[in-house]
Amino acid sequence: MERYYSYSSYLRKFFGKRVYRVTVDAGFTCPNRDGSKGKGGCIYCYLGSDYDPEKRRKEIEKQIVDGIERVKRRYKAKKFLVYFQAYTNTYASPETLKSIYDEIKKFSEVVGLIIGTRPDCVPDETLKLINSYTEDYLVWIEYGLESSHFKSLKWMNRGHGVSDFVDAVLRTRKFSKINICVHTILGLPTEDYDDMMETADFLAALKVDGVKIHPLHVIRNTALEKIYLEERFRLLTLEEYVDLVVDFIERLPEKTVIQRITGEAPEELLIAPKWCSHKEKNKVINLIRKRFEERNTFQGTKCKFSKL
């Protein structure tokens, strides 16, 4: 019995088989890194959420080829989603973006397109372009929100407000075939329990299609590392995080796809907490699943907006 609507279940339901993601670094930057909105990027940012600097030096086609071959060997997969992940993957002209996204058309086994971006970097012309791929591919756009509270966005140096996110969601909703996933972070020192649950309610009210949930963790060579070492603010324990994830998912509608329930980093780059290392990922996921069972609860049981 599945206690929450996992991404793997969603993909099996949509395609009738297992489908796997292949991540791509297309060489983008961000408006809060290049000076147009700020410099330095988000305080937790390390190489655009990708720990493989060599990938950025490869052509996109080569990255897709290598990714497909790697996943085929490991999982015997036959169908793939290409995930443009690193930095802001809509931060260019529609013409440039089309030339980048069109790389997926070279691969018959690619059935989906995923684009990670910021809510302040999706002009209407870009959304129209992304929508053009929905005729042939499953399309998801992933917005980095992290929190529904401006105090937290300011602390993270996000360079945008909550209103930018709402605007992006409402304009994306004009294209019904584009699915919207939202990234959130639990355990920010600017927030208490009620603040975090308010973000869950906020996303539930907007009825976003998917959510990724991450714990705040500190990576080497980031602005967050310096802040953490100077201030030593408190990070979540594993037990606290497990309970928070269950509480958070209880507040989301049953149809919201839970794409991630934790975040992790290579052990050699991780400052704290240690349970956020790659090798602990399965342990964290299993504890969350166990906590759902112990509490005999499900996604949506505390959703305030399920009937809207």
Side-chain angles (χ1 to χ4, degrees), residues 78-90:
K78 296 181 179 180
K79 298 295 181 181
F80 305 90
L81 312 172
V82 172
Y83 180 16
F84 289 90
Q85 179 186 28
Y87 292 114
T88 303
N89 294 271
T90 58

Side-chain angles (χ1 to χ4, degrees), residues 186-198:
L186 300 182
L188 296 166
T190 52
E191 298 185 4
D192 60 18
Y193 177 85
D194 290 338
D195 290 326
M196 289 182 274
M197 294 306 107
E198 187 174 346

Side-chain angles (χ1 to χ4, degrees), residues 61 149 199 215 232 241 298:
E61 182 178 358
H149 304 281
T199 294
R232 287 293 179 180
Y241 181 71
F298 296 86

Side-chain angles (χ1 to χ4, degrees), residues 30 58 78 95-96 104 131 150 190 242-243 288-289:
C30 289
K58 297 180 182 179
K78 296 181 179 180
E95 295 75 21
T96 299
I104 68 174
N131 185 63
F150 182 73
T190 52
V242 167
D243 281 322
I288 292 170
R289 290 172 175 168

Side-chain angles (χ1 to χ4, degrees), residues 59-84:
E59 297 292 330
I60 294 172
E61 182 178 358
K62 175 62 173 172
Q63 292 184 47
I64 297 174
V65 168
D66 291 348
I68 286 176
E69 290 179 354
R70 182 173 59 253
V71 178
K72 276 184 176 179
R73 286 195 304 268
R74 184 171 182 180
Y75 300 108
K76 302 187 184 301
K78 296 181 179 180
K79 298 295 181 181
F80 305 90
L81 312 172
V82 172
Y83 180 16
F84 289 90

Side-chain angles (χ1 to χ4, degrees), residues 204-261:
L206 286 173
K207 293 191 178 297
V208 299
D209 302 294
V211 172
K212 287 186 174 181
I213 307 169
H214 307 80
L216 182 66
H217 53 286
V218 183
I219 303 297
R220 296 186 189 280
N221 301 320
T222 62
L224 182 58
E225 177 191 14
K226 182 179 179 180
I227 296 170
Y228 176 70
L229 294 178
E230 289 177 353
E231 299 180 7
R232 287 293 179 180
F233 57 80
R234 186 176 178 277
L235 293 166
L236 294 173
T237 67
L238 175 55
E239 285 295 311
E240 288 171 332
Y241 181 71
V242 167
D243 281 322
L244 281 169
V245 171
V246 175
D247 291 345
F248 198 95
I249 293 176
E250 283 181 325
R251 292 173 176 260
L252 298 177
E254 295 177 4
K255 293 182 179 180
T256 301
V257 183
I258 310 301
Q259 293 202 15
R260 283 184 71 96
I261 56 174

Side-chain angles (χ1 to χ4, degrees), residues 110-242:
V110 171
V111 295
L113 171 65
I114 308 170
I115 300 168
T117 188
R118 293 163 54 91
D120 56 346
C121 289
V122 282
D124 289 342
E125 288 303 311
T126 296
L127 290 173
K128 290 177 183 177
L129 170 66
I130 294 171
N131 185 63
S132 70
Y133 293 89
T134 62
E135 294 301 314
D136 301 304
Y137 300 95
L138 171 67
V139 175
W140 281 83
I141 189 166
E142 296 192 2
Y143 288 129
L145 172 65
E146 320 311 348
S147 170
S148 64
H149 304 281
F150 182 73
K151 62 182 179 181
S152 298
L153 299 180
K154 185 176 181 180
W155 181 80
M156 288 182 280
N157 193 39
R158 285 291 298 172
H160 66 77
V162 180
S163 60
D164 294 301
F165 172 76
V166 174
D167 173 65
V169 169
L170 295 180
R171 286 187 298 105
T172 307
R173 281 283 182 240
K174 296 177 182 178
F175 305 96
S176 60
K177 290 185 178 181
I178 300 178
N179 299 284
I180 300 171
C181 180
V182 183
H183 291 233
T184 63
I185 295 176
L186 300 182
L188 296 166
T190 52
E191 298 185 4
D192 60 18
Y193 177 85
D194 290 338
D195 290 326
M196 289 182 274
M197 294 306 107
E198 187 174 346
T199 294
D201 293 339
F202 175 71
L203 298 179
L206 286 173
K207 293 191 178 297
V208 299
D209 302 294
V211 172
K212 287 186 174 181
I213 307 169
H214 307 80
L216 182 66
H217 53 286
V218 183
I219 303 297
R220 296 186 189 280
N221 301 320
T222 62
L224 182 58
E225 177 191 14
K226 182 179 179 180
I227 296 170
Y228 176 70
L229 294 178
E230 289 177 353
E231 299 180 7
R232 287 293 179 180
F233 57 80
R234 186 176 178 277
L235 293 166
L236 294 173
T237 67
L238 175 55
E239 285 295 311
E240 288 171 332
Y241 181 71
V242 167

